[in-house]
Amino acid sequence: MLQGKSVVLGVSGGIAVYKAVELLRLLTKAGADVHVIMTKNAREFVTPLTFQTLSGNPVHTDLFSLYQEHEIDHISLADRADLFILAPATANLIGKIAHGLADDLLTTSVMATKAPVLIVPAMNVNMYENPIYQRNEKQLIEFGYHLLEPVTGALACGWEGKGKMPSPEEIMAAAAGVFVPKDLLGHTILVTAGPTREELDPVRYISNYSSGKMGFAIATEARHRGAEVILIAGPTNLTAPAGVRYVPVVSAQEMREAVFDALERADVVIKAAAVADYHPVVRSTQKIKKTADDLTLQLEKNPDILAEIGQQKGGRIVVGFAAETERLLVHAAEKLKKKNLDLIVANDITKAGAGFDGDTNIVRLLHADGQVDELELMSKAAVAEKILNQVKRLLDNRK
Ligand code: PMT
């Protein structure tokens, strides 16, 4: 997505400047031609030489430098850019842009560009929560600037709260998302992901190998395409994609409750989660002791969340997954029909590169009218794109 793109990376002065160095490395690795503009304060944290070495381009710093202005820098950078990324963007920088102030090379370039601008704020939590800052941020979003919300955590100033710059990887994903057509704008997509855990006692549980990657890829792609996304996920090691409403759950019962709390708002449901089919009849409050030579667990069925949604789907588009080890098409087709789905994504989890945990999948898409699309091995992000193309087609046909 960023291959061959001309990106202006605007760096303003905050401790998160060090993360902008890694962001620059990822951008160049992705094939972008990156031109860095640093404010005076940014140069207090990291020298321009670091950015110059990693970008392979001169770093721009001064609006009135005769040497740097030989091409009227702020105009040539503004014209050349396919994308501006402001990371970290301080409250001061955001305030200036929101009020049309252009008093240095970065703010004049932002003002002069017609390229999309992705703002990545980073600041102290109290500054972030300040109503003046909040008003400025809102104003910029209304003007069409893209904004990647800061995350919550321990801040360099010693405070704990929202204001931390997201990871370079998350900024990369948001930058790629800027170029994706917003064809799902106006839709709310509920995605489930990951495994569920059914506890036996305080230290043990029944679960499966789902990492959540498939569902998170769908949530990320849906968000990039402009949808409101509600992501309900069992325990995973993944970070929720920026801009989605994230609801972490543990058990199938909790997932069911979260799904039905959100269902009313959703016009599309995609269930990529690997929900445990059974839970222990008794959850011991104390650790089960190793006394007997054998131990029998009594399990009872969990609610089939997808089947329940299928029964009351109304005008929604409902997409299920089927993880199979044999007779892939037969079992998937049965689930499609039984659960009243519009589409089912069938993965043969015995195949190398398919199913649980890895970054790739091999799937077949079974449609309600009997059509089957066979997809080759591809990244989970690419599978997500194909699934959402079908969802878009179904939404268009529904009109
Ligand atoms: O998370 P990853 O590591 O990336 O792996 C991806 C994946 C293999 C988990 C994913 O691609 C996948 O196949 N997910 C569905 C796995 C599964 O539970 O399949 P199933 O055949 O048991 O269930 C069929 C469908 O019913 C699924 O959409 C499931 O979410 C849903 N279901 C199942 C049981 C249940 N009690 N409630 C449900 O809603």
Side-chain angles (χ1 to χ4, degrees), residues 75-390:
I75 301 300
S76 71
L77 286 170
D79 286 350
R80 189 188 309 167
D82 295 306
L83 172 69
F84 267 65
I85 304 176
L86 310 183
T90 57
N92 178 52
L93 176 65
I94 290 168
K96 284 204 275 187
I97 301 170
H99 287 86
L101 298 178
D103 64 352
D104 63 5
L105 183 60
L106 183 53
T107 46
T108 44
S109 303
V110 170
M111 191 126 205
T113 192
K114 288 200 178 306
V117 180
L118 172 64
I119 301 175
V120 190
M123 65 195 72
N124 162 272
V125 57
N126 296 332
M127 290 170 85
Y128 177 75
E129 287 172 358
N130 187 310
I132 302 172
Y133 170 78
Q134 286 297 322
R135 184 198 55 199
N136 291 341
E137 185 184 290
K138 188 163 169 273
Q139 172 110 67
L140 288 174
I141 294 169
E142 281 166 11
F143 280 139
Y145 288 82
H146 300 262
L147 196 129
L148 181 60
E149 282 288 317
V151 291
T152 300
L155 303 172
C157 52
W159 283 77
E160 180 89 24
K162 195 165 176 180
K164 228 174 139 66
M165 189 161 99
S167 69
E169 290 75 14
E170 287 170 272
I171 301 171
M172 285 295 287
V178 168
F179 295 103
V180 176
K182 306 290 176 240
D183 61 347
L184 293 172
L185 203 70
H187 296 288
T188 300
I189 304 189
L190 191 165
V191 181
T192 69
T196 65
R197 271 184 198 169
E198 312 301 324
E199 287 189 3
L200 289 162
D201 69 12
V203 296
R204 304 181 182 94
Y205 54 82
I206 298 171
S207 190
N208 58 63
Y209 292 113
S210 171
S211 62
K213 286 180 182 172
M214 190 64 249
F216 276 55
I218 296 169
T220 304
E221 173 74 8
R223 184 68 198 132
H224 285 169
R225 288 166 73 161
E228 288 295 319
V229 178
I230 304 164
L231 173 61
I232 300 171
T236 77
N237 291 323
L238 306 175
T239 307
V244 311
R245 196 166 97 72
Y246 178 54
V247 186
V249 296
V250 177
S251 64
Q253 189 55 44
E254 278 179 34
M255 183 172 279
R256 182 186 175 279
E257 280 162 27
V259 164
F260 281 95
D261 277 351
L263 190 61
E264 197 56 41
R265 269 169 287 153
D267 58 348
V268 177
V269 178
I270 306 180
K271 282 216 85 250
V275 185
D277 287 320
Y278 293 89
H279 66 268
V281 172
V282 178
R283 180 196 178 277
S284 170
T285 53
Q286 302 300 326
K287 183 179 170 191
I288 300 167
K289 289 287 172 211
K290 189 174 55 179
T291 44
D293 282 346
D294 49 35
L295 175 72
T296 305
L297 293 175
Q298 200 188 347
L299 305 176
E300 66 185 7
K301 245 190 182 162
N302 275 326
D304 190 321
I305 309 166
L306 187 57
E308 280 187 63
I309 297 169
Q311 276 164 17
Q312 45 184 285
K313 74 189 233 191
R316 288 182 194 86
I317 304 299
V318 181
V319 180
F321 269 73
E324 305 295 343
T325 54
E326 55 169 357
R327 303 180 71 210
L328 178 70
L329 291 180
V330 174
H331 290 312
E334 271 170 20
K335 287 176 186 170
L336 173 82
K337 196 153 182 259
K338 204 167 131 207
K339 303 193 188 197
N340 192 21
L341 310 177
D342 298 284
L343 185 74
I344 193 157
V345 184
N347 31 209
D348 177 349
I349 53 171
T350 63
K351 280 194 181 158
F356 293 112
D357 199 27
D359 292 322
T360 59
N361 209 349
I362 308 167
V363 302
R364 293 182 189 186
L365 306 182
L366 281 70
H367 301 251
D369 64 4
Q371 184 191 321
V372 179
D373 304 327
E374 204 166 317
L375 306 186
E376 66 219 16
L377 174 95
M378 58 182 75
S379 67
K380 284 184 175 167
V383 173
E385 187 190 337
K386 302 274 182 207
I387 295 168
L388 288 168
N389 289 346
Q390 293 307 322

